[in-house]
Amino acid sequence: MYRFFLPILSLFVLAVSGCKNPAQDIIININTSTLFKSPLLVHFDNSGGAPLGDFEVSISGKDSALVQMGTGGTKFKAVEGMMSLALKSDAKPTEQNPIVFIVNADITGYAQVNKKIVITTDSALMYRIPLSKYVKPVDGTSTFEIETLLSHGVTTEQLTLSTPVNLKLAQTVSVNIPLGTEMLDASKKIIDANLLKSTLTLYGLSATSLAATFPKGLTDINGVDKDGNAIPGGVSYTTAGLVRTAMLAGETAVRHFSQPLQVSQELAINITNPDTKSPVKAGDVIPLWEGASGSYKPTTYTAIVATSANGKLVANYSIPYTSTWNLAWRKSAVLGFINRDLAINFLPNKASWTGLHTVQLQTSKGTYLTNLPRYTPEKEFFRQGKILNGTTTYTSVTGKYGFGLVTVPDIGNAKVVVIDAKGKTLGESAVFDPRTASSINVNITVPDPVVPTVPPGPTGPPEYINISAEFTGKCIGKNIVAPLNSWVTINDITDKKYIYVYVKSGAIDQPGGVMKLIVGHQYKISATYQGKAYSTGTFPIKKASMDIPAAAENFSVVTTYNGTSNTINIVGVLSMDCN
């Protein structure tokens, strides 16, 4: 369970040190909510991995001097992956003049954190910083990451992203993002965000770099043409390098741009153009493919080779969306066919076999060779081929299932694969030589029929109840009380969800000072302060007053129920040693 850092105001300590012997019958009430602006909860999110411990954090950037811990002070530390921050009283964030700073952290086992935070309001905010497992960079690659400001999803200046050179990669790539470019999602709608995170990676021609972009080698057994049709025999690439672009606007993936980005990619020396059999030179045109993991599709885009100001050859091109872009020449295999008979016998394991099926011939490694005509067993049974005027026609023969081919691929190894309409492979033959085999069997596993199930009836909407709160902090042995200005969490045990709540001057910082919880669900309230956990036990939400059990010392919580307003008021007192 997450425990949230609960920033009890540092004025507690100041008040206690100033009143060494207060009168026992005088209670000093302190309210310092105006000293801390824009309360900010930073959640370092490792996506359900091992619980995070405590770790030091640093704050940098142009407005870092205006940032403090939620308790005051500038010794920044996350407790169990959570950190409460606030702006100092003289900060004045607006949309026109945002407060911008960077959260930096080195967390064991994760990539270094350098997260830009943009604050435009005095209201309570929460920022999630996703953590990535540390992965050693691939030799022969170079990556550049940067966070830049947007105005409602639009760039406010021209941006240039450039990868650095390193010992294993002497080339760089630059991407220019024009002023006024809109960041669009997968449906080409503008993303309303004020922060853009861009990651640019250049893959060179080293063996390790090519292995990362072509896991199965420089061939693609599932290569397709411009219309998406499979190419018999697959394709092979001669690549000049690849560029991967990835962007997040806020927390939404950028897929398209309102205008193309301009790319200038340096080329390695001594690259040979396979079309001309000569070294690549200025003026050459290199096709551009896009995709991932060795499977790259044709595009209508090309790169023009030019000589840069420093005398290096560069490939200049435009990209309209984020992807991995393969600057390469591609060659398709030449597959021939010979006239000879081959009986393909389908042997289903059930008497009833129906539906539309795809039948393919593939190589032993799964490379596509050819499709046979679409096959419906209950109608066509065994389709016997015949060459008539240079065209193969088929007739149906009852009593068995399969195909009688009269032409076969001129290749030394092949197999037959049968796929149903849902894309599931039902059968696959042994590998055979089409040039010599006369008959091949394919065992077919017919799927069991789908038995329709009766969907459950509709469930009624959950019943909600209003929740208000009065949270205070109290010094043990001292008559000093302060309404809390703090982050807490309410853990919905039933739905396994966490609700982030900011408490301002002891009350819930939401319209009307209330929130809603679900009647009948089990909850916990928890917090941490200076490394110490405070938590209630599990309790149900019901329409009644009750004491909430404490799971830790010094955190007492009771409730009162008002039936007229359907509201539970939660009264919590956090007692601590203020010495």
Side-chain angles (χ1 to χ4, degrees):
M1 156 176 159
Y2 293 126
R3 293 191 176 101
F4 288 75
F5 187 78
L6 182 60
I8 312 299
L9 300 176
S10 58
L11 198 56
F12 262 145
V13 179
L14 297 177
V16 173
S17 61
C19 302
K20 296 294 185 180
N21 295 296
Q24 295 301 308
D25 57 348
I26 298 177
I27 297 178
I28 303 174
N29 286 281
I30 303 169
N31 188 346
T32 56
S33 62
T34 58
L35 299 181
F36 299 92
K37 304 178 71 172
S38 305
L40 172 68
L41 182 64
V42 178
H43 175 198
F44 295 88
D45 186 2
N46 66 347
S47 299
L52 296 174
D54 302 350
F55 49 88
E56 302 297 322
V57 176
S58 66
I59 305 294
S60 61
K62 73 180 186 71
D63 296 320
S64 57
L66 296 174
V67 183
Q68 60 186 338
M69 286 292 289
T71 52
T74 55
K75 186 176 181 180
F76 299 103
K77 182 179 180 180
V79 177
E80 297 186 4
M82 310 302 297
M83 179 175 67
S84 180
L85 300 176
L87 299 183
K88 295 182 179 178
S89 59
D90 54 342
K92 295 177 175 59
T94 65
E95 283 205 10
Q96 292 71 33
N97 294 290
I99 301 297
V100 181
F101 58 93
I102 301 172
V103 174
N104 310 284
D106 288 306
I107 307 171
T108 302
Y110 296 92
Q112 187 180 58
V113 173
N114 304 106
K115 176 64 177 176
K116 184 173 288 186
I117 302 292
V118 180
I119 296 180
T120 61
T121 176
D122 285 342
S123 300
L125 302 166
M126 179 175 177
Y127 276 79
R128 184 182 70 90
I129 299 181
L131 301 181
S132 301
K133 288 287 188 180
Y134 174 77
V135 178
K136 183 179 182 296
V138 176
D139 286 344
T141 68
S142 179
T143 296
F144 175 74
E145 289 188 344
I146 191 172
E147 290 186 330
T148 51
L149 298 183
L150 299 171
S151 176
H152 298 288
V154 182
T155 57
T156 58
E157 60 181 333
Q158 178 172 310
L159 303 174
T160 300
L161 318 178
S162 298
T163 58
V165 299
N166 57 50
L167 294 177
K168 299 297 179 68
L169 183 60
Q171 289 75 46
T172 68
V173 63
S174 295
V175 175
N176 288 320
I177 307 175
L179 167 68
T181 301
E182 298 173 353
M183 299 296 142
L184 310 178
D185 62 16
S187 60
K188 297 189 177 180
K189 294 181 179 178
I190 191 168
I191 304 167
D192 189 5
N194 59 14
L195 191 65
L196 176 68
K197 180 180 180 180
S198 304
T199 303
L200 177 66
T201 303
L202 174 63
Y203 295 87
L205 303 183
S206 69
T208 51
S209 176
L210 293 179
T213 50
F214 293 92
K216 297 181 180 179
L218 290 168
T219 59
D220 181 5
I221 64 175
N222 299 312
V224 297
D225 62 20
K226 62 183 179 62
D227 297 319
N229 300 315
I231 296 176
V235 297
S236 59
Y237 292 97
T238 300
T239 185
L242 301 94
V243 173
R244 180 178 181 269
T245 55
M247 296 181 182
L248 284 175
E251 294 194 3
T252 302
V254 176
R255 189 69 182 98
H256 300 273
F257 313 110
S258 62
Q259 55 186 317
L261 309 189
Q262 306 303 313
V263 182
S264 183
Q265 178 179 342
E266 289 185 354
L267 302 179
I269 59 175
N270 300 325
I271 294 179
T272 298
N273 183 330
D275 293 340
T276 64
K277 305 298 190 292
S278 301
V280 171
K281 64 183 186 306
D284 280 359
V285 177
I286 306 177
L288 203 59
W289 319 82
E290 71 92 10
S293 301
S295 181
Y296 299 97
K297 301 179 296 185
T299 72
T300 58
Y301 305 96
T302 56
I304 306 298
V305 179
T307 303
S308 66
N310 60 10
K312 293 184 178 182
L313 288 179
V314 296
N316 296 319
Y317 55 93
S318 301
I319 56 174
Y321 49 85
T322 56
S323 188
T324 298
W325 299 91
N326 178 19
L327 190 64
W329 298 267
R330 192 172 83 167
K331 180 181 179 181
S332 302
V334 178
L335 181 66
F337 287 81
I338 56 176
N339 294 335
R340 68 182 316 275
D341 294 339
L342 174 65
I344 301 174
N345 305 302
F346 297 150
L347 306 176
N349 65 337
K350 294 181 181 178
S352 177
W353 180 29
T354 62
L356 190 62
H357 296 73
T358 297
V359 181
Q360 285 186 355
L361 290 180
Q362 301 178 359
T363 68
S364 58
K365 294 183 179 181
T367 304
Y368 168 82
L369 295 174
T370 187
N371 273 334
L372 301 186
R374 302 286 276 182
Y375 181 69
T376 309
E378 74 273 22
K379 295 180 180 179
E380 292 143 349
F381 300 97
F382 188 91
R383 303 194 69 181
Q384 179 60 55
K386 179 181 180 181
I387 298 177
L388 183 63
N389 297 326
T391 302
T392 301
T393 61
Y394 291 89
T395 57
S396 296
V397 179
T398 60
K400 57 182 179 179
Y401 298 109
F403 278 88
L405 303 186
V406 290
T407 60
V408 295
D410 187 10
I411 190 172
N413 67 84
K415 61 183 179 181
V416 179
V417 179
V418 179
I419 305 166
D420 70 8
K422 295 181 179 180
K424 181 180 180 181
T425 297
L426 304 186
E428 183 177 305
S429 74
V431 176
F432 63 95
D433 186 342
R435 301 168 302 181
T436 59
S438 58
S439 179
I440 190 74
N441 294 335
V442 184
N443 292 319
I444 304 296
T445 302
V446 180
D448 293 329
V450 176
V451 178
T453 58
V454 178
T459 58
E463 182 182 5
Y464 290 93
I465 193 168
N466 299 317
I467 303 294
S468 61
E470 298 174 36
F471 282 98
T472 56
K474 180 181 179 181
C475 292
I476 298 174
K478 309 286 185 179
N479 286 340
I480 299 177
V481 176
L484 297 186
N485 295 277
S486 47
W487 286 98
V488 298
T489 182
I490 298 178
N491 179 3
D492 187 334
I493 304 295
T494 304
D495 280 349
K496 299 180 180 178
K497 294 180 179 179
Y498 294 88
I499 303 170
Y500 312 140
V501 178
Y502 186 69
V503 173
K504 183 177 182 180
S505 297
I508 296 172
D509 188 24
Q510 292 189 19
V514 298
M515 60 181 296
K516 293 182 182 294
L517 297 181
I518 300 175
V519 175
H521 279 210
Q522 299 282 326
Y523 291 92
K524 279 186 179 181
I525 301 174
S526 61
T528 62
Y529 174 65
Q530 295 182 340
K532 183 175 181 180
Y534 298 87
S535 174
T536 70
T538 300
F539 63 94
I541 285 292
K542 57 186 178 180
K543 295 183 175 183
S545 302
M546 62 179 172
D547 292 339
I548 296 178
E553 294 182 358
N554 302 330
F555 190 26
S556 62
V557 182
V558 298
T559 70
T560 56
Y561 175 65
N562 185 321
T564 303
S565 62
N566 191 35
T567 300
I568 290 178
N569 186 49
I570 297 178
V571 179
V573 178
L574 179 65
S575 300
M576 64 176 63
D577 187 352
C578 297
N579 293 329

